[in-house]
């Protein structure tokens, strides 16, 4: 729904810092280079050669690596099957057995959460907390409905979960890739919603790259008179912005995310927020806001830095797109405020 508050160049620099953190904490490159001469050796050699791209590459580069690795992985599995036709139970080895073997071996090197010394658990998860703190997301980018604060002190430990945009079960070598670790809330990362679903840049919006801003917007489609005077009911929904076509690639990607994360269903329970914004937008019209800005002064100086600050005080949330990551429901509040004439 919303984008992380960084440019691609800033994210690339973070990715390099993240790579250096991994180098200090783990022996990934050494483990790959010193892999024994077994069925996975060609895969591990490739990963060693391409390690910086595997960790730091942008999403389109990761998808390219996935394609390049496919034949190597398939060949490794077939060679293993030829050498081990029976599984541990003495039955013919299955595709599921082969994938389990492959995944288990890869996770020994790209250890996200499979051991006590993994990315998420080593030293009480220090590396994962540092990474979450660096990304500075106080709200889940997928839904903007749940907080994802990063706090780590003697009394409290809390951080966002990391959703793997590219499923780590299917692509275990991407389990520690910077652009594959999306700070998210527990609900969006749950089996009930995204779970094991396969995402791609062609079909889904990536929160490091894009948002639904200017593609979809919250709308009530009720007039202020109908709501305030006649107590009319309304349905809160995300709808296509004007000039955006239903079959445009950007709208398809945004809509796919909306469906996966059940955004319209979930936001039905936040109509009270929209109702409050409608009332306040009517009470404090733009003329009234201008008067407040000019009137409330101390020693001849306005107590507000700008009219925007007054508007944010009125609706109880941030209104600038650049501040969307700071608080939950920022897009909802901004869209409804705009619908009812609060010029931002």
């Amino acid at each position: 729904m919303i984008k992380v508050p960084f440019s691609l160049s800033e994210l690339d620099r973070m990715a390099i810092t993240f790579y250096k953190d991994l180098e200090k904490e783990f022996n990934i490159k050494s483990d790959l280079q010193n892999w024994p001469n077994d069925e996975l050796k060609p895969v591990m050699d490739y990963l060693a050669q391409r390690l910086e791209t595997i960790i730091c590459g942008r999403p389109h580069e990761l998808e390219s690596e996935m394609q390049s690795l496919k034949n190597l992985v398939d060949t490794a599995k077939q060679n293993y099957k030829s050498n081990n036709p029976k599984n541990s139970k003495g039955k013919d080895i299955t595709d599921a057995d082969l994938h389990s073997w492959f995944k288990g071996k890869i996770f020994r090197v790209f250890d996200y959460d499979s051991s006590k010394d993994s990315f998420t658990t080593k030293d009480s998860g220090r590396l994962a907390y540092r990474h979450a703190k660096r990304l500075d997301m106080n709200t889940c980018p997928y839904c903007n409905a749940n907080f994802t604060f990063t706090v780590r002190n003697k009394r409290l430990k809390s951080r966002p979960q990391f959703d793997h945009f590219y499923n780590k079960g299917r692509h275990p070598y991407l389990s520690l890739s910077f652009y594959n670790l999306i700070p998210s809330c527990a609900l969006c990362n749950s089996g009930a919603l995204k779970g094991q679903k396969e995402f791609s840049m062609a079909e889904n919006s990536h929160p490091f790259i894009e948002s639904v801003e200017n593609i979809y917007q919250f709308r009530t489609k009720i007039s202020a008179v109908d709501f305030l005077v006649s107590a009319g009911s309304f349905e809160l929904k995300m709808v296509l912005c004007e000039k955006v076509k239903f079959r445009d690639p950007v709208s398809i990607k945004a809509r796919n995310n909306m469906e996966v994360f059940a955004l319209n269903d979930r936001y039905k329970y936040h109509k009270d927020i929209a109702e409050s914004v409608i009332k306040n937008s009517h009470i404090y019209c733009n003329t009234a806001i201008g008067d407040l800005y000019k009137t409330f002064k101390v020693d001849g100086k306005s107590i507000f830095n700008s009219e925007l600050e007054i508007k944010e005080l009125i609706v109880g949330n941030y209104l600038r797109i650049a501040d969307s990551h700071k608080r939950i429901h920022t897009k909802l509040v901004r869209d409804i405020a705009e619908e009812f004439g609060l010029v931002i």
Side-chain angles (χ1 to χ4, degrees):
M1 176 183 282
I2 65 171
K3 183 183 175 298
V4 298
F6 305 104
S7 67
L8 273 174
S9 58
E10 289 172 322
L11 288 169
D12 288 341
R13 287 193 290 272
M14 287 186 189
I16 293 296
T17 300
F18 178 68
Y19 180 52
K20 291 177 180 178
D21 279 350
L22 293 181
E23 283 186 315
K24 290 178 183 178
E25 298 289 339
F26 306 107
N27 301 313
I28 297 176
K29 190 153 195 175
S30 175
D31 289 344
L32 292 170
Q33 291 173 332
N34 296 314
W35 194 262
N37 191 24
D38 63 7
E39 297 90 353
L40 274 179
K41 180 66 172 172
V43 174
M44 299 310 205
D45 285 345
Y46 179 91
L47 291 171
Q49 294 167 9
R50 303 289 296 166
L51 184 59
E52 187 168 339
T53 301
I54 292 291
I55 300 299
C56 302
R58 293 180 181 180
H60 71 276
E61 293 177 287
L62 298 184
E63 292 189 6
S64 178
E65 294 298 335
M66 288 158 57
Q67 289 299 314
S68 297
L69 277 158
K70 187 178 185 307
N71 288 338
L72 285 173
V73 172
D74 287 345
T75 299
K77 288 180 177 179
Q78 288 306 311
N79 288 339
Y80 182 78
K81 183 176 182 179
S82 297
N83 296 330
N84 303 271
K86 301 291 183 181
N87 62 23
S88 59
K89 297 179 180 179
K91 297 182 179 180
D92 289 345
I93 197 165
T94 65
D95 288 344
D97 293 327
L98 291 173
H99 184 66
S100 180
W101 162 78
F102 170 70
K103 185 171 63 174
K105 293 287 187 179
I106 296 294
F107 280 153
R108 290 186 186 180
V109 180
F110 295 89
D111 191 357
Y112 175 76
D113 61 0
S114 60
S115 76
K116 62 181 180 62
D117 291 320
S118 71
F119 171 76
T120 60
T121 57
K122 187 176 183 180
D123 194 15
S124 299
R126 176 172 51 85
L127 186 59
Y129 274 89
R130 186 160 70 235
H131 184 54
K133 189 73 174 177
R134 189 180 296 131
L135 290 170
D136 191 31
M137 290 295 293
N138 288 342
T139 176
C140 174
Y142 285 135
C143 68
N144 192 216
N146 291 319
F147 281 115
T148 53
F149 292 119
T150 301
V151 182
R152 190 171 189 264
N153 55 42
K154 291 182 179 179
R155 296 185 60 194
L156 176 65
K157 290 182 181 180
S158 178
R159 65 164 175 81
Q161 293 187 7
F162 289 111
D163 168 62
H164 288 81
F165 187 83
Y166 303 110
N167 184 280
K168 76 176 188 292
R170 295 186 182 93
H171 315 288
Y173 43 81
L174 299 182
S175 64
L176 294 177
S177 300
F178 176 86
Y179 280 92
N180 200 31
L181 297 172
I182 312 298
S184 64
C185 68
L187 180 55
C188 284
N189 195 35
S190 71
L193 296 180
K194 183 168 185 285
Q196 303 300 312
K197 293 180 178 68
E198 188 80 351
F199 270 25
S200 72
M201 288 299 292
E203 299 292 332
N204 302 95
S205 298
H206 191 300
F208 285 16
I209 311 296
E210 56 214 338
S211 71
V212 302
E213 203 65 48
N214 300 319
I215 302 171
Y216 273 87
Q217 59 192 176
F218 286 100
R219 284 293 181 260
T220 63
K221 295 190 176 180
I222 190 173
S223 70
V225 172
D226 284 342
F227 175 70
L228 297 170
V229 178
S230 304
S233 62
F234 64 87
E235 183 180 12
L236 181 64
K237 286 187 68 175
M238 294 187 77
V239 300
L240 272 176
C241 297
E242 291 184 12
K243 299 181 181 180
V244 180
K245 296 181 180 179
F246 187 79
R247 295 189 181 277
D248 284 349
V250 292
S251 67
I252 292 172
K253 293 167 66 171
R255 189 160 58 253
N256 286 341
N257 275 37
M258 288 164 51
E259 291 173 358
V260 167
F261 298 111
L263 296 185
N264 276 325
D265 288 333
R266 292 164 68 183
Y267 271 89
K268 288 177 182 177
Y269 297 94
H270 298 303
K271 283 180 62 175
D272 59 321
I273 297 172
E275 291 170 355
S276 178
V277 174
I278 295 170
K279 291 175 182 176
N280 288 335
S281 296
H282 182 75
I283 295 168
Y284 298 96
C285 63
N286 288 290
T287 301
I289 289 168
D291 291 340
L292 287 171
Y293 182 63
K294 295 173 185 176
T295 302
F296 285 88
K297 296 181 179 181
V298 175
D299 295 331
K301 184 179 179 181
S302 175
I303 65 172
F304 300 108
N305 293 318
S306 65
E307 290 188 8
L308 175 63
E309 186 177 337
I310 300 174
K311 294 173 184 177
E312 291 180 334
L313 182 64
I314 289 168
V315 299
N317 214 324
Y318 294 103
L319 291 173
R320 292 195 319 136
I321 293 174
D323 294 326
S324 295
H325 66 290
K326 294 180 179 180
R327 192 176 294 172
I328 60 174
H329 302 137
T330 48
K331 179 165 175 56
L332 168 62
V333 169
R334 183 171 59 251
D335 287 352
I336 301 304
E338 188 270 336
E339 182 182 9
F340 285 87
L342 200 62
V343 180
I344 300 167

